[in-house]
Amino acid sequence: QFQRNYRRANASNERLNEVANGSEDTPNTAVNPVHQDIMMSNFKMNKEYDVCVVGAGFSGSVIAERFANELGKTVLVIDKRNHIGGNCYDYIDEETNIRVNKYGAHLFHTNHERVWNYIQKFSKWTPYEHRVLGYVNKTHVPVPVNIDTVNLLFHSNIQSTEEMDKWLKKEQVHYDHEPVNSEEMAMSRVGKRLYELIFKGYTLKQWNKDPSELGPEVTARIPVRNDWDD
């Protein structure tokens, strides 16, 4: 792993030399001129660094910051892209003034107060509630599954968590063994109808594999709610 990272770092260093020297031999990897000055501004060609971090995504950015601010190390961060943040990078669209996630929307989850306090140091956060509607059988329904999902899809009239629990128990497929794949896990939790309508297609889209080919932990992590929480 060290050797692979070293080779990546060395290749990236050669690319930075090309940028610095104005080489045009590699047009397919040319750096966006908008970001070129930013990338090169703190990079000194002949300086020695205590640490080289390859990759400026979440892991690389945090490791570099900790080395610099906690241990007082000089750090060189290298990334093949012309920005930091990895797949979570976003920017303000000049035409609409709307913040856009370049690689698709990402949600940040943590149950750890230490992590939450750490990320608060670097940005102002905006209160946000994430609600998802899936388009199923020509109807918009809440996802993850909750009471409203069932009522809308099956024209039911469930009015309490107790009624929802009874409905789920009746629908669930009960095996004589522990679920061995994602299909069995989903059907043991929500039954065949909801599996076919929501879980199967969602899993195929996410993983490009049939749920029967995936381990049970994949669909075990998808919430199923017995109330109206959306």
Side-chain angles (χ1 to χ4, degrees):
Q1 181 66 39
F2 174 80
Q3 289 177 336
R4 287 199 298 271
N5 285 345
Y6 179 81
R7 286 196 294 270
R8 288 177 62 196
N10 190 49
S12 297
N13 193 43
E14 290 176 359
R15 177 69 194 116
L16 285 170
N17 277 315
E18 291 170 0
V19 173
N21 296 327
S23 170
E24 297 181 0
D25 295 335
T26 53
N28 292 332
T29 57
V31 176
N32 186 329
V34 173
H35 299 279
Q36 181 171 329
D37 291 341
I38 298 174
M39 293 177 66
M40 299 299 299
S41 61
N42 295 321
F43 179 71
K44 296 179 174 58
M45 201 67 63
N46 298 319
K47 178 179 178 180
E48 290 188 359
Y49 293 85
D50 298 320
V51 179
C52 176
V53 176
V54 181
F58 264 9
S59 297
S61 298
V62 171
I63 290 170
E65 187 277 329
R66 293 286 82 188
F67 267 120
N69 292 331
E70 288 295 313
L71 301 180
K73 302 292 185 180
T74 56
V75 185
L76 173 64
V77 181
I78 297 174
D79 197 289
K80 65 180 181 180
R81 293 171 172 169
N82 58 11
H83 59 73
I84 64 171
N87 288 343
C88 293
Y89 171 74
D90 60 21
Y91 62 94
I92 301 297
D93 179 69
E94 292 182 359
E95 184 175 344
T96 63
N97 203 37
I98 293 173
R99 184 172 296 279
V100 178
N101 291 103
K102 184 177 177 71
Y103 305 100
H106 288 74
L107 302 179
F108 179 80
H109 299 271
T110 184
N111 292 323
H112 301 284
E113 186 176 358
R114 179 172 64 88
V115 175
W116 178 249
N117 291 336
Y118 174 74
I119 62 173
Q120 294 294 314
K121 298 178 181 179
F122 306 106
S123 176
K124 180 181 178 182
W125 287 70
T126 302
Y128 164 76
E129 291 186 359
H130 186 64
R131 290 187 171 92
V132 176
L133 292 177
Y135 191 60
V136 184
N137 281 357
K138 298 183 179 180
T139 304
H140 288 97
V141 299
V143 178
V145 170
N146 65 12
I147 289 176
D148 285 332
T149 310
V150 172
N151 285 342
L152 287 165
L153 288 177
F154 304 114
H155 308 291
S156 302
N157 189 33
I158 297 172
Q159 297 294 320
S160 68
T161 57
E162 291 77 16
E163 290 180 13
M164 181 65 170
D165 287 338
K166 288 179 182 178
W167 187 92
L168 284 170
K169 187 174 182 180
K170 184 178 179 181
E171 290 283 318
Q172 289 165 350
V173 177
H174 301 281
Y175 298 96
D176 59 2
H177 58 268
E178 290 295 316
V180 297
N181 56 47
S182 278
E183 179 179 88
E184 290 188 359
M185 175 58 74
M187 295 218 289
S188 73
R189 300 179 67 208
V190 300
K192 184 176 181 179
R193 292 195 293 172
L194 276 177
Y195 165 73
E196 295 283 353
L197 287 172
I198 296 178
F199 278 62
K200 185 174 183 178
Y202 176 85
T203 306
L204 278 168
K205 181 180 178 181
Q206 290 292 105
W207 296 88
N208 198 29
K209 285 189 175 183
D210 190 88
S212 62
E213 301 177 72
L214 297 169
E217 66 277 1
V218 175
T219 51
R221 68 183 179 85
I222 302 175
V224 176
R225 293 167 179 157
N226 65 350
D227 54 19
W228 289 269
D229 183 5
D230 63 351

